[in-house]
Amino acid sequence: MSAGPTGEVYRIDWLPGTDVLHGTCHCGAEHSAQDPVEMWEWMLGHPEGHRPQGSDS
């Protein structure tokens, strides 16, 4: 788990028995990937690629 400069929490879990990583962004969006670099790029690219829950736009 890592906190960003504004205190956001990012979480990446490894799914046992697989090569899959499951990430949860501070906004509640989720993403799965096998490549750790892809996972971090998705998380740190916020908000590109996902929107906060409850967002109308």
Side-chain angles (χ1 to χ4, degrees):
M1 197 164 23
S2 173
T6 59
E8 295 102 351
V9 175
Y10 302 87
R11 181 180 182 118
I12 297 179
D13 296 306
W14 165 67
L15 302 177
T18 71
D19 291 335
V20 177
L21 299 170
H22 182 81
T24 305
C25 182
H26 62 87
C27 73
E30 297 182 345
H31 180 74
S32 294
Q34 290 186 344
D35 181 7
V37 173
E38 176 188 339
M39 179 61 66
W40 279 110
E41 285 176 348
W42 175 81
M43 287 197 152
L44 298 176
H46 183 79
E48 234 176 86
H50 63 280
R51 294 188 180 116
Q53 290 178 339
S55 174
D56 294 325
S57 55

